[in-house]
Amino acid sequence: MSNPSRLFTFTGRDAGQWEIIRTVTVIGEDWPHAARLSVTPEPDAPPPDARWTLRGITSNARYTNRDEKNRLTERQEDLGRPAATLAALIPIRKTAAWWALTQDERRAVFEEQSRHIGIGLNYLPAVARKLHHCRDLSEQEPFDFLTWFEFAPEHEAVFDRMLDELRRSPEWAYVDWEIDIRLRRA
Amino acid sequence: MSNPSRLFTFTGRDAGQWEIIRTVTVIGEDWPHAARLSVTPEPDAPPPDARWTLRGITSNARYTNRDEKNRLTERQEDLGRPAATLAALIPIRKTAAWWALTQDERRAVFEEQSRHIGIGLNYLPAVARKLHHCRDLSEQEPFDFLTWFEFAPEHEAVFDRMLDELRRSPEWAYVDWEIDIRLRRA
C-alpha cells in the first residue's frame, strides 16, 4: 500500500532504537520499566525480549477546527529531526465519565476550558508530536491514547512545562491512568 | 468483564440467525452475497462456512451534541424487539476527502447541511440502530462503518424512505462504497 502506516507497536524490551531513561507513574497503576523501546509498524509477533507492547493507530483529529488545524500545520515540525534526540511516550486512559460526554461537551472541556490545542501551539515547533488512538482497536487495550513527543535536550524543560500546564487543566480530571516514559535515541 | 461487548463480527455464511434477503451495491464494488448472517462478539476464528467477515466496534458518538443526544435517548428503542423481524447491515466507506476535513467541517456537512441526526430522529422509534466503527480497528478494514438497523415489516417502506433522504444529502458525496444487506430473522 502506498498510504503511510497508521498502526504502530511500541515494545518495551532489552534492545531497540530508544533507550528508556525513566518510567514514571503520573496517576494509576505502575507500568513495567524496560531498558529499550522499539517502534514498528504493525503487526509482528512480539520479539522474545519484549517486556510489554502497546499498540496505537493514527486517525483523524476529533476536536481541532479548521483555524486551529491551519495554525498547527504552519508551526509544527515532523518527527525524526536529528537534533531531537529526546522523546516521550505518554500512554493515557480517560474515565468512563469522559467517554459518556457528548461531542460538544468533550470539545468544551478539551479546548474552551483547558486550551489543549492552544497550549500545544505555544510549544511549537520545539516539540514534535504524534497521537495514536487505542480505544477502538479492541476491547483489551490498556490505554486510550499513546502520544509520542520528540524534542532537543535544550527544550526538555520547556516540554516539562507544557505537560505541567496540560496536567493542571480541567481535562486532566478525566485522566485516570497516565504513564510518562522518557527516552533518548540510542 | 462486566462491560457490554463493543466489538462484533458479522459473518456471511451458510447458517446463522439472520437470513440474507438481498445484497445490493449502492455505490462501489460488489460485495459477495451469502445465504445467512451471524453476529457474534469478537473474536473467534471464522466458521468453516464463512463467505465473508466484517468487524466493527461501538464507540463514543463523534458529532452528537447534548441536546441531540437527549432527544435520541428519549425516542430510540433497543435492538431485539420481537416485532422487529427485519434488519439491514449497511457497510459504508467514506472518501479520503472526508477524513481530511476538520471536526467543525465534518460536523457542518453531517448535521447543519445534511441533517443526519435530524433525519434519523424522524424515524424513531420505528427504526432501531447501532453504529459500529471499523476505520481505527486496523489498516485493513474494507469499510469505515457498519450500521445495523432493525424494524418491523410494516416499517420497511419508512426505513427505505429514511435511507433515501440520507443518500440524497451532501454528506453522501463523501461515501464511495456502500452495500445494503437486507435480512430477516431466521
Side-chain angles (χ1 to χ4, degrees), chain B residues 3-162:
Chain B
N3 289 334
S5 287
R6 295 174 54 218
L7 186 53
F8 292 88
T9 302
F10 298 84
T11 307
R13 49 189 291 207
D14 298 337
Q17 315 102 298
W18 294 90
E19 177 194 348
I20 300 182
I21 303 167
R22 58 182 181 278
T23 303
V24 175
T25 304
V26 180
I27 185 170
E29 282 177 52
D30 287 344
W31 189 255
H33 186 69
R36 296 287 185 105
L37 179 88
S38 65
V39 186
T40 51
E42 183 83 342
D44 269 325
D49 64 342
R51 305 300 174 95
W52 51 260
T53 62
L54 290 171
R55 304 185 308 144
I57 190 162
T58 62
S59 187
N60 57 301
R62 306 290 158 85
Y63 303 108
T64 317
N65 67 30
R66 172 54 59 190
D67 176 58
E68 291 156 350
K69 173 74 177 298
N70 289 345
R71 281 186 288 152
L72 288 166
T73 304
E74 205 170 88
R75 298 192 60 181
Q76 75 198 352
E77 292 197 1
D78 288 339
L79 299 180
R81 295 171 295 179
T85 56
L86 296 184
L89 173 66
I90 305 195
I92 276 183
R93 185 180 69 190
K94 284 184 166 172
T95 62
W98 172 262
W99 297 111
L101 296 176
T102 54
Q103 177 68 27
D104 56 328
E105 292 168 336
R106 289 195 307 276
R107 161 76 198 192
V109 174
F110 183 86
E111 189 58 22
E112 281 69 32
Q113 296 172 31
S114 303
R115 313 298 314 165
H116 190 131
I117 298 165
I119 290 169
L121 269 166
N122 291 337
Y123 294 90
L124 297 181
V127 177
R129 171 188 171 278
K130 188 157 78 159
L131 176 65
H132 310 77
H133 297 256
C134 323
R135 181 175 154 81
D136 293 338
L137 277 177
S138 80
E139 294 174 345
Q140 279 82 44
E141 306 303 317
F143 297 98
D144 292 332
F145 305 100
L146 310 174
T147 313
W148 178 262
F149 302 93
E150 289 180 8
F151 45 92
E154 66 264 34
H155 293 129
E156 186 172 17
V158 155
F159 175 70
D160 286 332
R161 197 161 71 226
M162 181 188 78

Side-chain angles (χ1 to χ4, degrees), chain A residues 18-39:
Chain A
W18 295 90
E19 176 194 348
I20 300 183
I21 302 167
R22 59 184 182 277
T23 303
V24 174
T25 304
V26 181
I27 185 171
E29 281 176 51
D30 287 345
W31 188 256
H33 185 69
R36 297 287 186 105
L37 179 89
S38 66
V39 186

Side-chain angles (χ1 to χ4, degrees), chain A:
Chain A
M1 291 194 303
S2 61
N3 289 331
S5 287
R6 295 173 54 217
L7 186 52
F8 292 88
T9 303
F10 299 84
T11 308
R13 50 188 293 207
D14 299 336
Q17 316 100 300
W18 295 90
E19 176 194 348
I20 300 183
I21 302 167
R22 59 184 182 277
T23 303
V24 174
T25 304
V26 181
I27 185 171
E29 281 176 51
D30 287 345
W31 188 256
H33 185 69
R36 297 287 186 105
L37 179 89
S38 66
V39 186
T40 51
E42 183 82 347
D44 268 325
D49 64 342
R51 306 299 174 95
W52 51 259
T53 62
L54 289 171
R55 304 185 307 146
I57 190 162
T58 61
S59 188
N60 57 300
R62 308 288 159 86
Y63 302 108
T64 317
N65 66 31
R66 173 54 60 191
D67 176 59
E68 291 157 350
K69 172 75 177 295
N70 289 346
R71 281 186 286 150
L72 287 166
T73 304
E74 203 170 90
R75 298 192 59 179
Q76 75 199 352
E77 292 196 2
D78 289 338
L79 299 180
R81 295 171 294 180
T85 56
L86 296 184
L89 174 66
I90 306 197
I92 276 183
R93 186 179 69 190
K94 283 184 165 172
T95 62
W98 172 262
W99 296 111
L101 295 177
T102 54
Q103 177 67 29
D104 56 328
E105 292 169 336
R106 289 194 308 275
R107 161 75 198 192
V109 174
F110 184 85
E111 191 57 21
E112 282 67 33
Q113 296 172 32
S114 302
R115 312 298 314 164
H116 191 130
I117 298 164
I119 290 169
L121 269 166
N122 291 337
Y123 294 90
L124 297 180
V127 176
R129 170 186 172 281
K130 189 157 76 157
L131 175 66
H132 309 77
H133 297 256
C134 323
R135 179 174 155 81
D136 293 339
L137 277 176
S138 80
E139 296 175 343
Q140 279 82 44
E141 305 303 317
F143 297 98
D144 291 333
F145 304 101
L146 310 174
T147 314
W148 178 262
F149 301 94
E150 290 180 7
F151 45 91
E154 65 265 33
H155 293 130
E156 187 174 17
V158 155
F159 175 71
D160 286 333
R161 199 162 69 225
M162 181 189 78
L163 292 186
D164 189 53
E165 281 196 66
L166 288 168
R167 287 172 183 155
R168 285 186 288 107
S169 75
E171 185 190 351
W172 251 250
Y174 295 94
V175 172
D176 67 2
W177 198 7
E178 178 176 7
I179 305 295
D180 186 337
I181 302 170
R182 295 300 178 94
L183 310 111
R184 182 186 298 123
R185 213 182 282 277

